[in-house]
Amino acid sequence: MAETRIRAFLCTQLYYSFLMPSFDIVSQVNPMEIENAVNQSKKELANRFDFKGSTAEIVLEKNEIKLSAEDQFKLKALVEIVISKLAKRSISLKNVDKGQPDLSPLGHARQVIKIKQGIETTVAKQITGFIREGKFKVTTQIQGEEIRVTSKSKDELQTVMAAVRAKDFPVAVSFQNFRD
């Protein structure tokens, strides 16, 4: 008996999600833009006078940019180079997490810059709470690292998009899969 109710509920949810207009709120950074920013940073590193003959290095591994330099001052310059290139490639700095620099007793310095992909659960709850507080006629659903927003009206969805764009969240948000 309970099993048939659950199936009926799931079928109606699937039915409404396919027929009702919806969109997804996501927070993603294009990996090609990250790679391009790192390549530009490497070119600038090779051409900068203050880095001639030093062992400074920039390495990209998936969503992490690993920096290493001879001392803390060169590491700080490396971080500024990479951050400026990321900003020029229109990567939101909200999705960039600069870790703490590791300084060895010999003076060598390392630092990891992480690029956040997806919306964390705490931020997703904050976004869905904001939408609920706005008293919009929509339903929100957290699906992993994205949020699905569904409504009967496309106009209501566009109003939610405008409200979410106007609000300042800890990550950069974008919208995908707008369905009529």
Side-chain angles (χ1 to χ4, degrees):
M1 185 92 169
E3 192 173 305
T4 56
R5 287 183 184 160
I6 292 172
R7 280 188 186 160
F9 174 75
L10 290 175
C11 287
T12 56
Q13 288 295 319
L14 284 172
Y15 177 76
Y16 282 117
S17 67
F18 285 121
L19 291 181
M20 294 176 64
S22 66
F23 68 89
D24 296 332
I25 302 174
V26 296
S27 177
Q28 294 178 339
V29 178
N30 186 351
M32 288 306 298
E33 292 297 330
I34 298 169
E35 190 175 330
N36 290 339
V38 168
N39 288 338
Q40 288 177 349
S41 299
K42 286 180 180 179
K43 284 181 184 177
E44 184 172 334
L45 175 65
N47 292 330
R48 290 232 342 212
F49 178 74
D50 54 339
F51 284 102
K52 292 286 186 209
S54 73
T55 59
E57 179 177 49
I58 303 171
V59 178
L60 174 66
E61 293 180 3
K62 289 193 177 184
N63 290 324
E64 289 185 347
I65 303 169
K66 296 184 178 183
L67 310 173
S68 63
E70 294 170 350
D71 57 32
Q72 183 177 1
F73 301 109
K74 288 189 179 178
L75 181 69
K76 190 173 179 181
L78 270 181
V79 171
E80 289 175 6
I81 290 170
V82 172
I83 295 296
S84 71
K85 297 301 178 188
L86 288 171
K88 284 182 183 175
R89 302 294 307 178
S90 63
I91 294 173
S92 175
L93 297 182
K94 289 181 179 180
N95 288 7
V96 176
D97 183 25
K98 295 186 290 188
Q100 293 295 322
D102 291 335
L103 305 174
S104 72
L106 300 174
H108 194 77
R110 286 186 216 104
Q111 187 169 358
V112 176
I113 298 174
K114 294 182 181 178
I115 309 295
K116 297 181 211 170
Q117 298 281 20
I119 300 174
E120 296 174 355
T121 308
T122 55
V123 178
K125 288 180 181 178
Q126 184 180 355
I127 294 170
T128 56
F130 169 74
I131 293 171
R132 245 183 268 117
E133 288 172 6
K135 307 253 192 251
F136 301 106
K137 294 179 183 175
V138 298
T139 58
T140 57
Q141 186 178 22
I142 299 173
Q143 298 179 334
E145 294 184 337
E146 60 186 39
I147 301 168
R148 166 96 17 107
V149 181
T150 309
S151 176
K152 293 179 181 177
S153 166
K154 290 189 291 185
D155 295 335
E156 193 70 24
L157 290 178
Q158 290 173 343
T159 307
V160 170
M161 281 183 178
V164 170
R165 269 193 203 107
K167 177 82 169 144
D168 187 31
F169 291 107
V171 295
V173 293
S174 58
F175 308 101
Q176 290 183 342
N177 301 331
F178 189 85
R179 296 187 187 99
D180 290 338

